[in-house]
Amino acid sequence: MALKIVKGSIDRMFDKNLQDLVRGIRNHKEDEAKYISTCIDEIKQELKQDNIAVKANAVCKLTYLQMLGYDVSWAAFNIVEVMSSSKFTYKRIGYLAASQCFHESTDVIMLTTNQIRKDLSSPNQYDTGVALTGLSCFVTPDLARDLANDIMTLMSHTKPYIRKKAVLIMYKVFLKYPESLRPAFPRLKEKLEDPDPGVQSAAVNVICELARRNPKNYLSLAPLFFKLMTSSTNNWVLIKIIKLFGALTPLEPRLGKKLIEPLTNLIHSTSAMSLLYECVNTVYIDVNTPPLPSLSLSLCLYLSLPPQLCVQKLRILIEDSDQNLKYLGLLAMSKILKTHPKSVQSHKDLILQCLDDKDESIRLRALDLLYGMVSKKNLMEIVKKLMLHVDKAEGTTYRDELLTKIIDICSQSNYQYITNFEWYISILVELTRLEGTRHGHLIASQMLDVAIRVKAIRGFAVAQMATLLDNAHLLTGNMQRMGICEVLYAAAWICGEFSEHLENPMQTLEAMLRPKVATLPGHIQAVYVQNAAKLFATVLKSQEGNTDSTAAQETSQLMIDRLPLFVQSANLEVQERASCILQLVKYIQKLQQKDVEVAEEVSALFAGELNPVAPKAQKKVPVPEGLDLDSWINEPPSESESEDEQPKAIFAKEEPKHSRPRREEVDEKELAKRREARKQEQANNPFYIKASPSSQKVYQEAPGVEHIPVVQIDLSVPLKVPGLPMSDQYVKLEEERRQKERAEKKKKEKKKRKEKRSGRGKKHDSGPESEEDITPAHQVDIVTEEMPENALPSDDDDKDPNDPHKILILHIVKTFVYDIQGNLQDGSQVVVSVIFENKCDSFLKSMEFNVLDSLNSKLQRPEGSGPHDGLTVPFQLPPGVSNEARFVFTVQSIIMPQKLKGTLTFIVKDSSTHEKLDFKLHFTCTSYLITTPCYSDAFAKLLESGDLKCSSVRLEGVNMPFHHLLARICFHHHFSVVERIDSCASMYSRSIQGHHVCLLVKTVSIDAKCDEPTLLGNVLDEIKQTFSQC
Amino acid sequence: MSSYNAFSLFLRMLSATHSFLSSSFMLLFSRQGKLRLQKWYVPLCDKEKKKITRELVQTVLARKPKMCSFLEWRDLKIVYKRYASLYFCCAIEDQDNELITLEIIHRYVELLDKYFGSVCELDIIFNFEKAYFILDEFLLGGEAQETSKKNVLKAIEQADLLQESGGIDEEELEE
């Protein structure tokens, strides 16, 4: 016996322990893998031995190797062996290895249940502790189910050390085995008042996490947590509790009032930044957590805390020298910006300062914030600041980020904040001078968009673009700058299309036909060639007006001289266009030589304006009557026909077979190919406004760009294209203009006042310039996208414009029309579709729709919201736009009409004020009826059954043709005609709850039957109402 | 494509098992990118763990020294801090508090420091199991279980004591 022990320990002396292994690995840096594989072989040997100490040592080494990334799953069973050692030393290692290596699909976990149970009930608290810790890492649903009771018992263990761990691990158990929550909850709740602070904080942790998943069930704990919040000094606990209240308050608005004081105290008094940050984050922002996606309101609306308080606190964070606080402050600020833009906007100076920060992540955060902060007033200033940063910025990624942000900021909501488009064009032109940017395409698409849609700017844009074309060598001179040459695409197109604005078209034409153009990417060359033709037409027109005919002929000669270069192009598109145009010009030249005037005809080639088309326009074209898009044009070939028929048959057999090869042609692949091609085409088509910004286009390298002699430009000097105005000038000009405007306004006002009361000369200061005072520099009409006639401005495509159910229209700031429709599937549900139309000039947002429920009818609100909460309308409304939202109501009884009072709250963007609009929803009995066809025999049976009560109504003073009368009842009251004999007709309809309503209509009276007399009475009243109105 | 799948699986597991706990995992790695310690509070298979570790280590090491300690990485927030040659890195969920996580990291470093007596990277390499034991006494399932440094150290010391003495006692018992 003794010998065996001695022998064992001698063996062990020669085993490597963990330290040896680590040292060994460090000494074998060159052949680490080889060394480790020998180590693993040794470990395998060690694991085969009986001695548990040797095994534990081996497992410990394996755990280390696992961290280095080696697979040790093969040793899972050995780990379980070591876990079950009775010695704490080994058990500890076993559990550590298990928690590092096991995951849910490790099958030996099944074997551990009993061992873990034994350890949990061990008299040694450290055995229990180690088991609990391990379990927290690898608990599976099975383990959770089997051990839930044991752990629950441990929650009342005498040692706080165990209680604490047991409480925490209970959360994991709940997640894996939710059934355990109910029996364990009372005990968990008890632990909130545990004498040991550690256990208490563990319980707070667990309950808070649970409550954030499903706040409703934890409302009853609010008083207890409130007590904890006011008494606890532990920041960790406080943070959790605040998070919890963030989730609870939207469900119970009364909590908000109680929380104001303690929260304000905390915000003011705490020195812990983490706690302050949590307060600000939760109170002002975090209500929008997953359990409550519909509630975008921030908690401060419930708490009625002023947002300034929190913004001021954030300012302190941002001003701190600590990068971390600065970053978090900006992060939180950007969230507040969404709900309280005004209070953030006043800190513009601070945000702009952050752009100078040395930390790129902070600069990017600040950029994000700026996007939301611009207004008409400060746009130019902010962009000017950003342009300075573009010049200074190191590293292309950040500079590209700046560039996209500038464009984002300027183009947001349809160029809403731009008052001077000349300024914007010059900003875009300045951006083209950026070195090495990848966003040439983005700039180009902006240039095209602005030039096409803002008519007033075309003259200016054309002049700028002509200069760009003239100086094209600056943009293409350096290979690194290739991305930017995309801009030339836009420049060439704008100059060609709007060539009537060109001052010197001849010069531009010449610029476009320079030999160097052939080094540009193919798609750009193609645009050059095509637009050269447009320019040619313009030039001819101006030259033919003069008496001198030689000039026109010289122009043609220029074209003929230069175009062959493009005819030789390797790019098919360029080649095709060039040869086509070349032939055309040759023909023109012939005519010119015969002294025939051709300018008119040539320009007719490019006549007509190209207007932008809205991406959705196609959808809005109504389908012509009688056209069924789903029906087959050619009958599809039957499935039974075998695919591999002999090819001979196709030609030999009769007619219908011919349709087959034709259809095969349009198979999936081909369709996809065509789709791709169409997309490509659209991307290249400037008239097609894309639904989303198309991704960066990678163009093919033009061959041999490097070999072309290029004028070298010293790039260390910031490039200034001669003759181009700088955007700064516009900022100054704009300032002056605004000042002048203001002065004029003042003058006018003064004049008025003088006229009014000449006696008193009181001086008024018109105060700081407000948003509304700023008028655009030149009346720019932003051309809206073309829509086909007949199309609806509404966003909803399936909406029928002649919806019969539009009942009420409110003309206040905004109108809305609604339509109530019963739901056939559910006899108690009614869907109300409301069309909101913004009739005022301001942007409306944060709309909330709320209805005061009656006993009978209730607005369906998402789970978790209270009975008085409004529903957020899921869109914003720019001026003049309408959109539709649907709300579901549950109705118990449908036999009586109902009126529901409601309010719509919204924020008018410019003034940031909350506005309210009261309305009434009128649920008529008719709206519960659904047009249901009925055959005359079924109808007769119904009438005979005798279950129906009778009623009648006289129609007085109705003098309209009988079929009109019927149509009206069908249309307004959802009836269908069963049978009509001369001036007598039977009609039928059904309610959503299955009541039958039968009418016998004559010219002057209606007899009616229904199984519900009250409903019938109301429906008849409503019918009568309809006819009394006409 | 496969990488995307692995990640979506990872996210699904996160949301299924772990949606709100303080941290999803903790990594310690050296300036050279060598992993020194890893603790996962979400059960993932080794392949995913490796992939996440590799990407994250690269991302963090690429940051400049003056940059702040937070970054957004996939759907998680990463909080990291460098102590001497070691990076301590925690992944937390969107709604979690970055500052408190930073505090947790700092607290753990302090604990290591107290336990080893001005800790250095080598201490953690050669006694990596001890570093785990300390972490396990401090955090459980990604949640801070003990905010008092004294209590954590006491628990560790007692367990160590048990290991020493218990080892001898039981060996004698076996006889």
Side-chain angles (χ1 to χ4, degrees), chain A residues 600-669:
Chain A
E600 279 301 318
E601 278 157 62
V602 176
S603 43
L605 282 175
F606 306 105
E609 198 165 342
L610 294 166
N611 282 329
V613 178
K616 269 182 159 184
Q618 178 65 47
K619 276 207 241 163
K620 310 254 170 179
V621 179
V623 178
E625 227 172 288
L627 174 64
D628 182 5
L629 288 173
D630 293 327
S631 71
W632 287 92
I633 297 174
N634 290 324
E635 271 311 303
S638 65
E639 292 293 317
S640 58
E641 275 177 302
S642 84
E643 275 303 307
D644 31 38
E645 259 181 334
Q646 285 119 2
K648 264 190 223 158
I650 297 178
F651 302 101
K653 278 189 182 170
E654 74 280 35
E655 271 309 278
K657 286 280 163 193
H658 281 287
S659 62
R660 273 200 55 214
R662 218 154 133 224
R663 211 179 81 82
E664 272 168 355
E665 183 184 40
V666 204
D667 65 351
E668 270 306 297
K669 244 189 209 163

Side-chain angles (χ1 to χ4, degrees), chain B residues 106-172:
Chain B
H106 188 69
R107 188 66 61 95
Y108 179 50
V109 174
E110 281 179 331
L111 283 169
L112 289 173
D113 209 44
K114 279 253 167 62
Y115 183 84
F116 289 108
S118 74
V119 67
C120 68
E121 193 182 337
L122 282 179
D123 288 326
I124 294 174
I125 298 173
F126 283 104
N127 302 287
F128 90 118
E129 85 277 20
K130 296 278 191 231
Y132 276 119
F133 294 149
I134 297 171
L135 185 61
D136 285 342
E137 283 301 327
F138 178 46
L139 296 178
L140 192 127
E143 198 72 58
Q145 60 167 315
E146 183 57 70
T147 50
S148 145
K149 265 181 282 181
K150 220 173 68 194
N151 285 351
V152 176
L153 288 173
K154 211 173 79 193
I156 286 290
E157 271 156 23
Q158 274 176 357
D160 280 352
L161 214 64
L162 186 73
Q163 181 168 343
E164 312 286 316
S165 65
I168 296 160
D169 287 345
E170 281 166 36
E171 233 164 71
E172 280 165 4

Side-chain angles (χ1 to χ4, degrees), chain A residues 864-881:
Chain A
S865 47
H868 308 295
D869 297 336
L871 290 184
T872 312
V873 180
F875 46 79
Q876 306 186 331
L877 281 184
V881 168

Side-chain angles (χ1 to χ4, degrees), chain A residues 521-713:
Chain A
H523 67 285
I524 299 181
Q525 283 186 54
V527 170
Y528 264 70
V529 171
Q530 181 73 13
N531 286 287
K534 291 184 198 168
L535 271 179
F536 174 63
T538 319
V539 173
L540 276 190
K541 214 172 171 186
S542 65
Q543 286 174 338
E544 277 190 1
N546 303 339
T547 43
D548 186 14
S549 65
T550 50
Q553 285 187 25
E554 270 165 27
T555 317
S556 305
Q557 193 54 49
L558 175 77
M559 293 288 280
I560 289 168
D561 289 347
R562 299 283 178 87
L563 278 175
L565 178 65
F566 298 102
V567 175
Q568 293 158 16
S569 170
N571 187 300
L572 268 185
E573 178 82 12
V574 180
Q575 207 184 84
E576 191 179 0
R577 288 187 192 213
S579 34
C580 200
I581 291 167
L582 183 61
Q583 287 312 313
L584 183 73
V585 177
K586 279 183 180 161
Y587 180 67
I588 290 170
Q589 199 184 31
K590 266 188 207 159
L591 290 176
Q592 281 174 332
Q593 279 158 2
K594 290 180 200 158
D595 272 341
V596 181
E597 296 227 330
V598 284
E600 279 301 318
E601 278 157 62
V602 176
S603 43
L605 282 175
F606 306 105
E609 198 165 342
L610 294 166
N611 282 329
V613 178
K616 269 182 159 184
Q618 178 65 47
K619 276 207 241 163
K620 310 254 170 179
V621 179
V623 178
E625 227 172 288
L627 174 64
D628 182 5
L629 288 173
D630 293 327
S631 71
W632 287 92
I633 297 174
N634 290 324
E635 271 311 303
S638 65
E639 292 293 317
S640 58
E641 275 177 302
S642 84
E643 275 303 307
D644 31 38
E645 259 181 334
Q646 285 119 2
K648 264 190 223 158
I650 297 178
F651 302 101
K653 278 189 182 170
E654 74 280 35
E655 271 309 278
K657 286 280 163 193
H658 281 287
S659 62
R660 273 200 55 214
R662 218 154 133 224
R663 211 179 81 82
E664 272 168 355
E665 183 184 40
V666 204
D667 65 351
E668 270 306 297
K669 244 189 209 163
E670 180 66 20
L671 274 180
K673 219 196 265 169
R674 287 187 196 175
R675 212 171 295 136
E676 204 40 57
R678 196 166 55 238
K679 257 187 216 156
Q680 199 60 39
E681 190 187 17
Q682 283 169 2
N684 291 331
N685 184 349
F687 310 118
Y688 194 88
I689 292 192
K690 282 137 228 141
S692 58
S694 62
S695 53
Q696 280 296 320
K697 231 188 322 163
V698 187
Y699 37 78
Q700 321 87 299
E701 283 301 331
V705 177
E706 306 100 301
H707 313 304
I708 308 288
V710 185
V711 185
Q712 272 302 319
I713 294 159

Side-chain angles (χ1 to χ4, degrees), chain B:
Chain B
M1 201 56 205
S2 69
S3 73
Y4 174 76
N5 286 340
F7 178 59
S8 66
L9 184 73
F10 166 63
L11 278 187
R12 231 181 307 139
M13 295 185 88
L14 274 186
S15 59
T17 61
H18 197 86
S19 74
F20 289 127
L21 280 188
S22 273
S23 64
S24 308
F25 54 85
M26 191 184 217
L27 301 175
L28 258 72
F29 51 88
S30 69
R31 226 170 8 167
Q32 290 78 33
K34 279 244 161 50
L35 197 60
R36 294 303 179 207
L37 192 135
Q38 55 171 344
K39 189 82 196 177
W40 298 79
Y41 298 108
V42 275
L44 292 175
C45 75
D46 288 347
K47 208 173 139 201
E48 288 157 35
K49 286 184 188 174
K50 260 190 234 169
K51 187 171 158 28
I52 292 167
T53 310
R54 198 173 48 237
E55 273 184 40
L56 202 57
V57 168
Q58 270 172 11
T59 317
V60 171
L61 287 179
R63 309 251 307 171
K64 297 197 185 77
K66 282 287 162 70
M67 286 175 124
C68 69
S69 297
F70 316 118
L71 62 126
E72 278 166 15
W73 183 77
R74 296 181 167 177
D75 276 7
L76 294 171
K77 292 196 286 198
I78 305 297
V79 179
Y80 72 91
K81 195 160 168 73
R82 186 178 155 180
Y83 289 90
S85 59
L86 269 188
Y87 284 88
F88 290 68
C89 175
C90 258
I92 55 174
E93 293 273 316
D94 186 42
Q95 287 129 44
D96 290 316
N97 189 318
E98 292 96 332
L99 288 172
I100 209 80
T101 311
L102 210 53
E103 216 164 300
I104 285 179
I105 290 177
H106 188 69
R107 188 66 61 95
Y108 179 50
V109 174
E110 281 179 331
L111 283 169
L112 289 173
D113 209 44
K114 279 253 167 62
Y115 183 84
F116 289 108
S118 74
V119 67
C120 68
E121 193 182 337
L122 282 179
D123 288 326
I124 294 174
I125 298 173
F126 283 104
N127 302 287
F128 90 118
E129 85 277 20
K130 296 278 191 231
Y132 276 119
F133 294 149
I134 297 171
L135 185 61
D136 285 342
E137 283 301 327
F138 178 46
L139 296 178
L140 192 127
E143 198 72 58
Q145 60 167 315
E146 183 57 70
T147 50
S148 145
K149 265 181 282 181
K150 220 173 68 194
N151 285 351
V152 176
L153 288 173
K154 211 173 79 193
I156 286 290
E157 271 156 23
Q158 274 176 357
D160 280 352
L161 214 64
L162 186 73
Q163 181 168 343
E164 312 286 316
S165 65
I168 296 160
D169 287 345
E170 281 166 36
E171 233 164 71
E172 280 165 4
L173 277 177
E174 261 178 33
E175 293 301 294

Side-chain angles (χ1 to χ4, degrees), chain A residues 239-260:
Chain A
I239 286 177
K240 288 282 172 183
I241 296 180
I242 290 169
K243 268 205 198 313
L244 173 80
F245 278 122
L248 292 185
T249 312
L251 301 179
E252 181 48 272
R254 277 176 300 174
L255 261 179
K257 281 209 184 78
K258 286 202 84 172
L259 285 174
I260 296 178

Side-chain angles (χ1 to χ4, degrees), chain A residues 794-796 834-837 874-877 881-885:
Chain A
S794 131
D795 240 6
D796 190 79
V834 183
I835 300 172
F836 298 89
E837 185 184 354
F875 46 79
Q876 306 186 331
L877 281 184
V881 168
S882 64
N883 202 346
E884 182 193 313

